[in-house]
Amino acid sequence: MTTETAPQTSAPPASTRQPIMAALQDNLRDYGLVLALLAIMVFFQFATNGVLFKPVNLTNVVLQNSYIIIMALGMLLVIVAGHIDLSVGSVSGFIGAIAAIMMVNYKMDPISTGVICLAAGGIIGAAQGYWIAYHKIPSFIVTLAGMLVFKGLSLAVLGGASVGPFPAEFQLLSAGFIPDFIGPMTLIAPTVDAAGKVAAGSGVVLHSTTVVIGLIGIAAYLYFGVQARRNREAHGYSAEPFPLFAIKTAVIAGLVLFLTYTMASYKGLPNVLVVMSVLIALFVFLTMKTTLGRRIYAMGGNLKAAALSGIKTERLTFYVFVIMGVLSALAGLIFAARLNTATPKAGQGFELDVIAAVFIGGASAMGGVGQVAGAVIGAFIMGVMNNGMSILGVNIDWQQVIKGLVLLAAVVFDVYNKNKG
C-alpha cells in the first residue's frame, strides 16, 4: 500500500515588512522624537523666513538652552529613579547669587569660585537627598520646600538687587568659543571690489577646528552605532531592521553635520557646548555601561524588587540627588555667566522646562524608563519652540500655553503606549 504525500512546497520567504513595522512600533517614541524635532525646525525655518537656521541664531539656541540640557541630564536620573526635583531652578539661581558675591564683592578668582559653588550644589543635593532617601519623605515635598527656601535665600544674599558684572574669564564659560588651532578654512573665496573691500555676506570661511571635531563626532557615532548593532546580533538579541537603522543613522549624522557647518561658518563651537557634550557622553556611559546606571533603572522600575536583590536603594537615591545638585550649580554658573549678572529672579521657571524636556524625551512618570538622548532631544524641542515663537512675536502667555499642551501630549502618549502594551 502506497501513501501519497502532499507535494513539498517551499515556505514563502519571511516578509521584511512585518519586522520593520514591529520595529517602528517598538521604537515609536525614539523615531518620533527625531522626526518631531526636524518637523519643528523646518516649520519655524519657513515661518521665520529663514531666521531660525542662521548661524548666529542657531548658536543662540544652543547658548540659551545649555543650562536646561545640563539640568535635564540630572533630572533624567531623578525621574528614572522614581522621584522629582522641583528645586533645580531655585538652586541654580542661588548658586549664581553666591558666585556673584564671591567674585564681585570679595574679588575671588573664577576657578576657586566655581569649585566652591559646585561643592555647595552637591551639599544642597545631599541635604535634600538625605530626607528623601533615609527618612522616606516624598521628593515632591522636600524639593518643593527647597524651591521656596533657595528662592528666599537668593533674595537675601543679593539684597533684592542685581550684582555684576563678572570677570571676563568667568564670562567665557557661556559667551566664549573654542579657538581655531588649525586656522580658517576658505570654502568659497569672498568677493572683493575694486577698492579692495570685501563684500558683506560673500564667501564662506569655516572654523577648521570645529569642522574636525564635528567630523570626528560623526565618525564616532557611526562606529559605536554599528558596533552596538553587531554586539546585539552576536549575543542573539533582536536588532532593528537595517533600513531603519541606516535611515535613523543618516538623519542624525546629517543633522550633526548641518549644525557643525553652521557653527563653523560663524564663530565655531561655544565653550558651553563642549562642556555639555562631555557631560552628555558621560551620562550616556553612566546609564548604559555602568552598574550604577543599571541599578538606578532597576530601582525606578521596581523599588521593592531592587531592594530584595541587594541594591542599597537609600544610598543610590542619595547619590542621584547629589548629582542633581552639582548639575544645578553648574547650570546656575552658566546662566549667570551668560547674563553677566546675578539677579534675584534667576532660575525662575527653569524646573518646568527641565521636567518638560525629560518627559517629552520619553521618560516615564512611573520611573524606570528614559534615555539621555531622549532628554537632550526633548530639551532641544523646547528650546527651538521657545526661540521660534519669540522670533514670531508670540506673547509669553501663549508660549506657556503651547508648551503646556506639548508636555501634556507627551505624557498622554507615554501612558497610551503603556496601556496598549
Side-chain angles (χ1 to χ4, degrees), residues 23-24 27-36 240-241 244-245 248:
L24 281 173
N27 299 276
L28 183 59
R29 168 72 79 170
D30 297 336
Y31 296 131
L33 275 177
V34 177
L35 293 176
E240 60 186 336
L244 284 182
F245 170 77
K248 180 188 72 173

Side-chain angles (χ1 to χ4, degrees), residues 286-367:
L286 172 68
T287 55
M288 299 184 67
K289 299 295 183 180
T290 67
T291 302
L292 178 65
R294 289 191 290 269
R295 288 177 175 176
I296 292 174
Y297 280 89
M299 180 176 68
N302 192 319
L303 180 62
K304 291 184 178 179
L308 291 174
S309 66
I311 297 175
K312 298 184 183 300
T313 55
E314 292 88 356
R315 186 170 64 184
L316 199 58
T317 300
F318 179 79
Y319 288 161
V320 165
F321 279 91
V322 171
I323 293 172
M324 184 73 258
V326 173
L327 292 180
S328 297
L330 177 58
L333 294 174
I334 292 173
F335 184 69
R338 176 167 174 76
L339 290 183
N340 197 23
T341 185
T343 65
K345 291 187 177 182
Q348 185 173 348
F350 282 5
E351 61 278 351
L352 301 180
D353 283 342
V354 172
I355 294 172
V358 176
F359 281 135
I360 290 173
S364 172
M366 304 302 171

Side-chain angles (χ1 to χ4, degrees), residues 103-414:
M103 284 187 287
V104 177
N105 293 358
Y106 293 98
K107 308 301 180 183
M108 291 185 61
D109 66 280
I111 295 179
S112 300
T113 299
V115 172
I116 294 173
C117 287
L118 292 178
I123 293 172
I124 291 171
Q128 296 189 132
Y130 170 77
W131 294 107
I132 296 167
Y134 295 102
H135 293 276
K136 310 302 179 186
I137 300 177
S139 57
F140 181 90
I141 301 299
V142 173
T143 58
L144 177 61
M147 180 177 69
L148 299 174
V149 167
F150 294 110
K151 188 179 295 184
L153 287 177
S154 296
L155 286 167
V157 168
L158 296 174
S162 298
V163 176
F166 293 114
E169 298 84 0
F170 181 71
Q171 296 177 44
L172 292 176
L173 176 63
S174 182
F177 296 81
I178 65 171
D180 194 348
F181 299 102
I182 303 174
M185 176 191 303
T186 303
L187 199 63
I188 300 176
T191 302
V192 182
D193 59 17
K197 289 186 177 181
V198 177
S202 67
V204 177
V205 179
L206 301 181
H207 191 276
S208 299
T209 303
T210 297
V211 174
V212 171
I213 292 175
L215 293 177
I216 292 175
I218 293 172
Y221 171 73
L222 295 175
Y223 173 78
F224 287 114
V226 172
Q227 285 296 108
R229 177 181 171 82
R230 287 178 177 175
N231 288 338
R232 288 188 63 86
E233 292 177 340
H235 290 84
Y237 294 103
S238 61
E240 60 186 336
F242 183 78
L244 284 182
F245 170 77
I247 293 173
K248 180 188 72 173
T249 303
V251 168
I252 295 178
L255 184 60
V256 174
L257 183 62
F258 170 74
L259 293 176
T260 298
Y261 171 80
T262 303
M263 291 186 175
S265 63
Y266 182 52
K267 293 182 179 180
L269 290 177
N271 292 334
V272 70
L273 179 58
V274 177
V275 174
M276 188 174 69
S277 300
V278 171
L279 286 174
I280 291 172
L282 179 63
F283 273 77
V284 168
F285 178 78
L286 172 68
T287 55
M288 299 184 67
K289 299 295 183 180
T290 67
T291 302
L292 178 65
R294 289 191 290 269
R295 288 177 175 176
I296 292 174
Y297 280 89
M299 180 176 68
N302 192 319
L303 180 62
K304 291 184 178 179
L308 291 174
S309 66
I311 297 175
K312 298 184 183 300
T313 55
E314 292 88 356
R315 186 170 64 184
L316 199 58
T317 300
F318 179 79
Y319 288 161
V320 165
F321 279 91
V322 171
I323 293 172
M324 184 73 258
V326 173
L327 292 180
S328 297
L330 177 58
L333 294 174
I334 292 173
F335 184 69
R338 176 167 174 76
L339 290 183
N340 197 23
T341 185
T343 65
K345 291 187 177 182
Q348 185 173 348
F350 282 5
E351 61 278 351
L352 301 180
D353 283 342
V354 172
I355 294 172
V358 176
F359 281 135
I360 290 173
S364 172
M366 304 302 171
V369 177
Q371 293 182 352
V372 171
V376 173
I377 294 175
F380 272 116
I381 287 176
M382 296 292 291
V384 172
M385 288 176 57
N386 287 335
N387 184 265
M389 288 188 291
S390 297
I391 295 173
L392 292 175
V394 178
N395 291 333
I396 188 66
D397 47 0
W398 285 108
Q399 290 187 30
Q400 298 297 328
V401 170
I402 293 172
K403 289 193 294 185
L405 292 175
V406 170
L407 173 60
L408 178 62
V411 176
V412 169
F413 182 71
D414 176 68

Side-chain angles (χ1 to χ4, degrees), residues 52-74:
L52 181 69
F53 285 174
K54 286 186 176 180
V56 61
N57 189 62
L58 279 180
T59 301
N60 284 334
V61 169
V62 173
L63 296 177
Q64 291 167 1
N65 294 278
S66 56
Y67 40 88
I68 298 297
I69 294 174
I70 288 172
M71 286 192 286
L73 296 174

